[in-house]
Amino acid sequence: MSSDPSSHPVTTRKGRGQSKKGCLTCKSRRVKCDEVHPVCSTCSRRRDACVWTEEPNNALQVLPRVARMALKPSRNHQLSVLPLNDFRLKELELLHHWTTSTLFTCIPDLPTFRYSFQISLPQIAFQHKSLLHALFAVASLHMHHLYPSFGYLPLAKMHCQHSVLSLYSTPANSAQLEASVMADILLATYWLAFPAWESTLSDVVPDVFDWLPAAKKFMSRIDFYKQSWAEHNSPSSSIVAPMVLDYEMNWAVIPFPETFMRIYHPEVCPYDREELEDERYLAAYEAGVLAIRNCTWESFMTPRIQTLAMYGFLMLVPDDFFKLFMEKRPRALIIVAHYCSILGQFDGVWWYSWERFRHDLQHILSLLDEKWLPFIEYPLNVLAMKDQPLDGICADLVGSSSVAEVNGSNYLDM
């Protein structure tokens, strides 16, 4: 008995629809992706690497435009993330490097700090993705500084992006204070250090207008943490309390001229007087000067807590000040120039260099009229210590007016 093929019903297999925005791993297997980030449910269940062409950028909108652009992966490197319980050798390497090397380059040299950042921080990070990725981002950037040809920079970008996405996907709350504040501090460190390595990839050298707002963004929630600690009446129990609370410093002689210390006083600095009539502007400038004097400089001059100098200014200066800075207001520019001049004096640190200071100062000087030179005397004298000539318009600006020697100026012994 012959069978007629046409007599049999044709069964068509209903294909499982693919998501246009799904991960590349699911697309390659031709299965539907639920688009859960950073690891979709299918890849998590199969323990596959979840690869995306790009991450959703809604959470990244908290960053300045240049910072968002810097986080984009290059054409040769796509973002790949495994579930946190699927630890890879690369992450183990980064964790080891953090605990044996990186933390010693950016944390105060005190036993309490060292134990907290070497032992307690990794333990907390295993429970909080934002902190774990921030730790990996800073460690990767440090590894890139040590081994620039080993491909650690794309890895640093990837972990920084995932940390930001995780950190800002949920509002800050008291239940995760330590993890959130530590992630913010590490991300601020990342953005302070990042321009030096990004500049090797293009002709455009990121400067202070790129990295400073990004670093500040991650320190702007410190007041919330301090209030929460106060409400819980147990600030000393936190491993990061010393980073954001008061600490004892060596009150050294302030090397700044009185013209700078009183730059927000109209009788000392009569230029642009109208902005000083706004109480918010006046308070912002005063906070900037006091942050330089009472934290940044004193930390720099106090043995064993010098690295707090890079964090103190970002913690203490209000957001209103950084708005004035991004508007290129002369007083704000001058205050930031003093901050950069202190960072530029650190010897052998990987997160800020003398060349970075020189580049940042040159940009600031190019935006100032000659009348503001007396108020930027200290940064110019710091630059002169290494006999580094300025270029172009900056050289003409400095050459048109004499800059007093440090020992001959009117300094405040306060």
Side-chain angles (χ1 to χ4, degrees), residues 37 96 145 147 169 241 243 248 296 332 364 373 377 381 387:
H37 286 76
H96 176 265
H145 165 67
Y147 312 104
S169 61
M243 292 290 289
E248 184 178 353
T296 305
I364 290 175
L373 267 183
E377 178 181 326
N381 280 323
D387 230 2

Side-chain angles (χ1 to χ4, degrees), residues 50 54 71 84 133 168 172 174 208 216 293 321 332 354:
C50 194
E54 61 180 59
L71 281 180
L84 290 183
H133 284 300
Y168 285 89
S174 57
V208 67
K216 170 59 181 175
R293 172 186 183 252
F321 173 86
W354 183 265

Side-chain angles (χ1 to χ4, degrees), residues 10 40 142 184 205 212 232 255 280 369-370 386:
V10 177
C40 74
H142 187 211
D184 280 327
V205 180
L212 188 59
H232 288 78
R280 292 183 307 164
D369 293 333
E370 182 180 339
K386 286 196 176 181

Side-chain angles (χ1 to χ4, degrees), residues 188-206:
T189 305
Y190 176 94
W191 283 111
L192 192 150
F194 186 78
W197 320 124
E198 179 67 5
S199 63
T200 64
L201 304 180
S202 66
D203 296 332
V204 179
V205 180

Side-chain angles (χ1 to χ4, degrees), residues 239-293:
I239 69 167
V240 295
M243 292 290 289
V244 297
L245 301 177
D246 295 331
Y247 44 86
E248 184 178 353
M249 294 184 295
N250 173 32
W251 292 96
V253 174
I254 303 299
F256 310 124
E258 186 173 4
T259 51
F260 169 71
M261 298 299 296
R262 303 284 187 253
I263 195 172
Y264 54 91
H265 290 214
E267 63 273 14
V268 176
C269 182
Y271 311 117
D272 297 349
R273 296 173 66 103
E274 65 281 356
E275 68 175 355
L276 298 180
E277 297 174 2
D278 189 315
E279 293 183 357
R280 292 183 307 164
Y281 289 7
L282 182 63
Y285 290 137
E286 182 179 10
V289 171
L290 293 180
I292 293 292
R293 172 186 183 252

Side-chain angles (χ1 to χ4, degrees), residues 19 22 26 32-36 39-42 52:
S19 171
C26 287
K32 187 173 182 179
C33 179
D34 60 7
E35 302 178 22
V36 174
V39 182
C40 74
S41 300
T42 302
W52 301 85

